[in-house]
Amino acid sequence: MVAMNLIGSYNYALVALSVFIAVFASYAALDLASRVTAAGGWTRALWVLGGACAMGTGIWSMHYIGMLAFILPIPVAYHWPTVLLSLVAAILASVIALYVVSRRKMGASQALAGSVLMGSGIAGMHYIGMAAMRLPAICQFNSFVVVLSVAFAVLISLAALWITFHFRDEKTGVARKKLAGAVVMGAAIPVMHYTGMAAASFTSSAMPADLSHAVSISALGIAGIVAITFIILGLALATSWVDRRFAAQTFELQQRRSEAYLAEAQRLSHTGSFGWKPSTGEFIWSEETFRVFQYHRTTTPTVELVLQRVHPEDVALVKQAIERATQDGKNFEHEYRLLMPDGSVKHVHVVAHALGDESGGIEFVGAVMDVTERKRAEALLAGEKRLLEMVARGDSLAQILDSLCLLVEGQASDVFASILLLDSNGKQLRHGGAPSLPKAYTDAINGSVIGPSVGSCGTAAHQGKQVIVSDIASDPLWVNYRELALAHSLRACWSTPILSAEGKVIGTFAMYYREPRSPSPRDQEIIAQITHLAGVAIQRKLSEDALRQSEAYLAEAQRLSHTGSWATGAMRSGPTYVPATGEIRYWSEECYRVLGFDPHAGQPRFETFSQRIHPDDQATVREIADTARREKAEFEMDYRIVHPGGEIRDIHTVGHPVLSPSGDLVEFVGTVIDITERKQAEEALRRAQADLAHINRVSMMGELAASLAHELKQPIAAALTDAKTCVRWLRRDTPDVAEGCEAALRIINDATRAAEVIDRVRSLYRRDTSDRELLDVNEIIREMIILLHDNADRNSISIRTELDSGLPLITADRVQLQQVLMNLILNGIEAMKDAKGELSVTSKKTDDGQLLVSVSDSGIGLPIGEGDRIFEAFFTTKTQGTGMGLSISRRIIESHGGSLSAYANAQRGATFQFTLPTDVAASSPSAA
């Protein structure tokens, strides 16, 4: 059989149908692209997939209808798996297309890459579809035409992407434009198909076609493919339309909600919006703008209506702003006042932005804000600042309260403000400030006693809470003051207690009106601010008065007590603070007087003060100050100051360190006390006590006269005997010099014994007893027992001692300790003189290291019920006693750093004991 070329022809009806399907598919693609773009997330992925299936099916259907339109003189069947593969290629190409056009931006590189992929997919679909043909012929392709068809596919894809991207916005994609774009795309897509068909040529072949999995397409099949294609594309468009409709409704709902939110936001913020065309004079106002200008919603706004509301003083300014905006066509912004029908004044802030309209003219879009509250707040804030400045300057309370009332009256119309102060007795209200109320009225209520039904102010002060009287004419709280208030045309009064920081009532703030009225939230805000300010001002003034009074009391107390206060800064010297060189930060007036400086000459330098310290005390003062600086510790010391006239004054000072949070020394604060008179009094007392002690010792010597006579008689008698014996030895014919010398030595010893007795007696008579030395207490005890044993013997009293031989030496005044022991031993003998008995004297060391001496008797004991008085001066149970012995003894022991006490024995008698520190060198000298 001879091979021959097969000549094909076209069914133009099917060609036209394929073009129509291409246009329909292109329109669906444009519509679906807008939905893909509008969607997001998983919804967007579903739209891409579903749209790609519909669009790919349309393109594939156009391709197969076009192939079926090509008629060959031989039977043609189609391998259906390959046909399905070509459908997949068409869908993939559609996925790429929808993905590219749904992006926010499509650059040249993205468009080129997308068109290459999409064109390759469409070309692949076409040639895969042709490969599905099963016919007894050989198909050959013209390479040039194939390449040309692929190029057409890429170019047509690029055009399709561009058209789809620019018509995807459903708001700008008007139906006619979208339809025109679909026609262009639908006409262009078949060009590639029919170019590809032109690239193929068929030559008959004797080899039969492989018809496995192949089907022939009848007219009914063609109709089915077309029907299914239109159904799929129709469903896609219907779904898109439903989704678009739903989106439009959602958008409309959101728009209405947004407008409602905007209207509410404008209402809450008192900000209205407007549009204005100067060329036509047309205004568009939002609902809030009508409310700001207080015009009815049905009113047609004009420039004339705006000017009718403008405050007369601002009309010229607003007209000038309107004229300038009309001429210049530029943005403008200004503030002015509105005078409302009820007489109230509003402040508005207007800002507008110039735009070009469609006719080439100028249109202004802007906002008008009611800034009345802001202006009031600014005025109130400025007023508060002025008032706080007045408080800081120390202006009088009357001026401050009057200014406070005027500030309130400037915030509201037809209001009269009043401030009353609660008297110090807490029962009466006194005039504080009311500059606008009639003086006759303020005078009449001045001094009103607070109570449960005393008008608004008296009741508020009594109850400690706000009292609102909206109509004085009918309120029972005003029954006693109604005629007075109504006579001055006062109809409403709101009173609020003014509280201190501690919550106590210190006054009242009231707002009066000439007509019945209740407070608004704005009024309550003003009341809260003003009562707070008034509380600050009143409490500050009361605190200042109390402080001045306290300072006056302190100054007088310092003057009377000769006590001054001071503060010394601590200047840095390297890493430490040096109080000794710190500047003097503060001296009280009395401090100047005490230290001999002129308070009117200013604070002296620390060096000048240091030079006034007595030269003998400067080293001690410096040492104590340096120690306080190093240890950051308190200090206390006495020193002498030399006044300019040469007078020397004794000073006692106490200093306390003040530390920073980090522990650094900041300053020292303290006091200085002029103790000159005290020192002189102490010295006079010391002398008087010494004289009294001397008298006590002399009086005791009278009681010891017999004992002293006995003590002196023995050595004198022995000396006489020894003298006679000496004479006898020396008068012998042969003088016995040795025996005479022995007798003479005994005479010397006896004379020495008598001299010692006399010395002991003389020492007790000495007036000055301030010498301290190292002593053995046991030795002093023995001396006193020797001196007093004769007195005990005469009263049949035995003396027993139990002395600790291991006692350490102590530093003390011998004569004063002798006086104490003599007092205690004589008192014990006196207590037992009618009952005989034993006197016990012991010494030992206590557990805490002190020395303890006890004198115990078995006499009559301590006086019943008056045991705690035996150490009082001039208290005595003896008929001939002075009552000074035990008082002086206790003072002597305490001056040595010890203590003297007494207690009753278990059986009978009493024990007197005293303790002394084993180291009393640091104890103060005796005052006795």
Side-chain angles (χ1 to χ4, degrees), residues 423-445:
D423 205 307
S424 56
N425 60 20
K427 297 179 180 180
Q428 292 175 286
L429 290 173
R430 300 290 181 185
H431 175 72
S436 302
L437 280 174
K439 189 174 184 303
Y441 177 78
T442 58
D443 290 343
I445 64 172

Side-chain angles (χ1 to χ4, degrees), residues 22-332:
V23 172
F24 193 16
S26 297
Y27 186 86
L30 292 175
D31 198 66
L32 290 171
S34 66
R35 303 316 308 141
V36 172
T37 304
W42 286 103
T43 306
R44 182 168 182 266
L46 290 175
W47 273 110
V48 168
L49 184 60
C53 289
M55 180 179 170
T57 300
I59 296 173
W60 173 84
S61 178
M62 179 279 303
H63 161 72
Y64 264 87
I65 296 298
M67 289 186 64
L68 294 174
F70 184 67
I71 302 172
L72 289 171
I74 56 175
V76 179
Y78 291 91
H79 185 253
W80 65 265
T82 307
V83 171
L84 291 180
L85 182 61
S86 67
L87 175 61
V88 172
I91 292 173
L92 289 176
S94 299
V95 168
I96 294 169
L98 289 177
Y99 174 76
V100 172
V101 299
S102 65
R103 295 176 65 83
R104 180 174 298 180
K105 293 182 179 180
M106 186 178 71
S109 59
Q110 292 172 326
L112 184 59
S115 62
V116 169
L117 292 175
M118 182 180 173
S120 300
I122 293 173
M125 174 206 68
H126 174 78
Y127 289 107
I128 291 172
M130 293 193 69
M133 297 175 70
R134 296 293 184 263
L135 69 169
I138 298 172
C139 182
Q140 293 179 327
F141 291 95
N142 185 322
S143 300
F144 173 76
V145 179
V146 169
V147 173
L148 183 62
S149 69
V150 173
F152 280 159
V154 172
L155 292 175
I156 290 169
S157 297
L158 181 61
L161 290 176
W162 185 90
I163 292 172
T164 305
F165 182 80
H166 286 84
F167 286 170
R168 67 180 182 173
D169 191 345
E170 58 184 334
K171 293 181 181 179
T172 58
V174 183
R176 287 180 297 178
K177 291 183 178 180
K178 189 180 292 185
L179 184 59
V183 170
V184 172
M185 285 176 59
I189 290 174
V191 171
M192 177 270 155
H193 170 76
Y194 289 108
T195 302
M197 291 297 292
S201 60
F202 298 91
T203 305
S204 61
S205 171
M207 185 178 296
D210 182 9
L211 297 179
S212 61
H213 302 293
V215 294
S216 297
I217 305 300
S218 63
L220 183 60
I222 294 173
I225 292 173
V226 172
I228 292 173
T229 300
F230 279 111
I231 288 172
I232 292 174
L233 292 176
L235 287 174
L237 287 174
T239 304
S240 176
W241 180 84
V242 171
D243 184 70
R244 182 182 294 104
R245 184 67 177 169
F246 178 76
Q249 290 176 348
T250 303
F251 178 77
E252 184 179 354
L253 180 61
Q254 290 177 343
Q255 191 74 8
R256 284 200 299 267
R257 186 178 299 170
S258 177
E259 289 174 356
Y261 289 159
L262 177 61
E264 183 64 13
Q266 288 191 353
R267 188 185 66 81
L268 292 174
S269 63
H270 306 293
T271 303
S273 56
F274 67 88
W276 173 43
K277 288 185 178 181
S279 59
T280 63
E282 178 187 1
F283 271 102
I284 299 175
W285 281 2
S286 69
E287 190 172 343
E288 184 61 23
T289 306
F290 281 99
R291 276 197 292 266
V292 169
F293 284 91
Q294 290 187 8
Y295 282 117
H296 193 270
R297 188 73 177 80
T298 58
T299 305
T300 301
T302 62
V303 172
E304 289 71 21
L305 287 177
V306 172
L307 293 175
Q308 284 179 16
R309 285 284 190 262
V310 176
H311 194 283
E313 296 178 3
D314 295 342
V315 170
L317 174 66
V318 175
K319 284 184 176 180
Q320 184 180 1
I322 292 174
E323 291 173 0
R324 186 184 305 112
T326 303
Q327 295 171 2
D328 298 344
K330 295 180 180 178
N331 301 343
F332 65 87

Side-chain angles (χ1 to χ4, degrees), residues 650-802:
D650 288 284
I651 304 298
H652 178 77
T653 187
V654 177
H656 173 76
V658 177
L659 305 180
S660 69
S662 60
D664 291 329
L665 180 61
V666 177
E667 63 181 0
F668 276 94
V669 296
T671 60
V672 291
I673 307 174
D674 186 342
I675 58 173
T676 306
E677 284 74 16
R678 192 186 81 187
K679 286 279 190 180
Q680 293 171 350
E682 287 175 352
E683 178 60 25
L685 178 62
R686 190 194 67 79
R687 287 196 299 267
Q689 289 173 339
D691 291 343
L692 188 59
H694 178 254
I695 292 171
N696 178 256
R697 289 194 296 272
V698 171
S699 66
M700 286 191 300
M701 293 310 299
E703 300 179 31
L704 295 177
S707 295
L708 292 176
H710 177 74
E711 289 292 322
L712 290 174
K713 184 178 179 181
Q714 283 185 340
I716 291 173
L720 287 174
T721 300
D722 289 333
K724 291 176 181 179
T725 302
C726 181
V727 170
R728 278 199 314 271
W729 288 113
L730 293 178
R731 283 182 176 178
R732 295 181 68 171
D733 296 336
T734 304
D736 192 337
V737 177
E739 290 294 337
C741 287
E742 287 289 335
L745 288 174
R746 287 196 296 272
I747 293 172
I748 292 172
N749 289 334
D750 293 334
T752 301
R753 282 176 56 202
E756 288 177 351
V757 172
I758 293 171
D759 284 341
R760 285 197 293 269
V761 173
R762 287 181 60 198
S763 69
L764 289 171
Y765 275 96
R766 278 209 322 258
R767 188 176 296 272
D768 183 13
T769 63
S770 60
D771 295 333
R772 294 197 179 191
E773 56 185 315
L774 281 174
L775 299 176
D776 182 352
V777 172
N778 288 339
E779 180 184 341
I780 296 176
I781 293 172
R782 294 187 190 101
E783 288 178 355
M784 288 300 98
I785 290 175
I786 291 171
L787 189 61
L788 300 174
H789 81 277
D790 185 64
N791 192 312
D793 290 343
R794 281 187 288 107
N795 290 282
S796 301
I797 296 171
S798 63
I799 299 178
R800 180 177 60 85
T801 61
E802 188 177 338

